[in-house]
Amino acid sequence: MTGDDERLQFQAMVSFRRSDDLESRVEDWFRLCREHLSGPVFAGLGEPRHGGSNWGVDFDGELDLGSITFPPRMSLQYWSVVPDPIPPGPFESPRPLGEVDVSVWMDKFPFGKFICEASSDNLSAADVAVHLRELVAEHVSRFRVGYGAVTSAVNGVGRPPLEPALRRSYVDGFYQSEQVLRGYAWVTVVPVGLEPLIEERAKAFPMLQTRRADSGVLLVEAGPRPEDYDEAMMQALWECLAPALPSGVPRRMKVGPPQGLVFRDAREVAPFHLRAEPGPGDGR
């Protein structure tokens, strides 16, 4: 299969606590997005156009990282796209032949997240996902993160689907990221603090692959390729991660993208479940 015929799109995301190394983190994320995606995504499709915005200021052309600003609350989006030379029909939206979208989001809380999405007529969605996995793996080898994932359950804002399904505040998700895992996906990054428990528990699940990054975080991969991440594999991953997941039964959303969730309480298989204290966004 070539091209995103299924209209399935994968997303790479990492979240982290803001620190003095923010600029080097941003530079690393953008560099890896270009190295791992630009060539394969755009090969043979044409010359990409570039643009984006920095804190609400639009720009055209290549991004000059040396010129961007880093206010306490910021957003930075950068896109590269090869437009389809054939105009869309009267009721169709324009669809590029290849596209890479990279973004950085900083909230009013001391946390940030990086997101990367890509699609290509040159690669299947699954092939793009493999490149996203290597991007995340290389970035977290140098920087600790509070959570990370490569997932097809894309919600556009880099929020793990488990949090809204549990009615969990994303603020608590940030603050408690070393106490409970924010979610899970085909590729899940387990932060320092939770990784010893999961690394040991994963030994009982040979279908899962784990690798420890130099930064100390643990990557858990539910199959060599995203096609391997079926219902059985998702169940095995959920059972492996259960001690570190928030308690509660996720609710089923009536609208929106596929959630990719197991609709059971993690405490069913992990009676020694980790407890998380109420955080700033808990409302209590």
Side-chain angles (χ1 to χ4, degrees):
M1 180 182 67
T2 60
D4 281 346
D5 298 326
E6 309 156 315
R7 294 299 186 267
L8 181 66
Q9 189 172 33
F10 284 84
Q11 179 185 85
M13 184 272 287
V14 296
S15 60
F16 54 92
R17 183 179 288 272
R18 182 166 181 151
S19 59
D20 292 340
D21 64 358
L22 176 60
E23 294 188 31
S24 59
R25 281 179 179 267
V26 171
E27 290 174 357
D28 186 76
W29 184 254
F30 275 75
R31 177 181 61 81
L32 292 175
C33 289
R34 180 181 291 266
E35 289 180 359
H36 286 283
L37 290 165
S38 294
V41 166
F42 298 133
L45 299 181
E47 189 67 26
R49 298 189 321 204
H50 311 283
S53 65
N54 175 211
W55 194 231
V57 179
D58 295 339
F59 61 87
D60 292 317
E62 291 279 5
L63 172 64
D64 177 10
L65 283 173
S67 66
I68 70 172
T69 57
F70 290 86
R73 186 175 182 180
M74 67 165 287
S75 64
L76 171 64
Q77 291 88 47
Y78 176 66
W79 51 262
S80 298
V81 59
V82 176
D84 191 335
I86 301 176
F91 303 105
E92 297 176 336
S93 300
R95 178 175 176 267
L97 300 180
E99 185 171 16
V100 175
D101 294 301
V102 188
S103 60
V104 179
W105 296 93
M106 303 302 301
D107 214 318
K108 60 183 178 181
F109 307 99
F111 300 96
K113 60 192 173 189
F114 295 155
I115 302 172
C116 184
E117 298 175 355
S119 61
S120 175
D121 274 13
N122 188 50
L123 298 172
S124 70
D127 288 333
V128 171
V130 171
H131 287 285
L132 292 172
R133 176 186 62 192
E134 297 313 309
L135 183 161
V136 169
E138 192 168 343
H139 181 76
V140 301
S141 71
R142 286 186 284 277
F143 299 96
R144 286 189 181 188
V145 300
Y147 177 69
V150 179
T151 176
S152 61
V154 175
N155 56 23
V157 295
R159 187 181 183 193
L162 183 61
E163 286 182 347
L166 289 176
R167 296 179 173 88
R168 242 176 93 74
S169 162
Y170 81 99
V171 182
D172 284 347
F174 279 131
Y175 276 102
Q176 297 172 358
S177 58
E178 292 185 5
Q179 296 173 268
V180 289
L181 193 60
R182 298 187 62 196
Y184 51 92
W186 168 54
V187 176
T188 306
V189 183
V190 180
V192 172
L194 293 175
E195 93 290 349
L197 170 64
I198 300 305
E199 190 171 36
E200 180 63 28
R201 188 171 171 86
K203 295 177 181 177
F205 298 89
M207 69 288 293
L208 305 176
Q209 300 296 316
T210 62
R211 46 175 163 165
R212 180 74 73 102
D214 291 342
S215 65
V217 302
L218 184 72
L219 286 92
V220 183
E221 300 172 10
R225 288 182 58 85
E227 301 98 316
D228 303 314
Y229 189 50
D230 54 15
E231 289 291 328
M233 188 71 82
M234 182 171 66
Q235 182 72 32
L237 175 67
W238 178 82
E239 292 194 14
C240 176
L241 300 177
L245 293 172
S247 60
V249 179
R251 58 175 174 162
R252 296 180 184 270
M253 303 294 190
K254 293 182 180 180
V255 296
Q259 290 176 271
L261 298 176
V262 174
F263 294 93
R264 295 170 56 193
D265 191 330
R267 289 190 181 182
E268 291 180 25
V269 297
F272 54 97
H273 192 280
L274 297 173
R275 297 296 296 271
E277 296 300 322
D282 200 48
R284 288 180 283 178

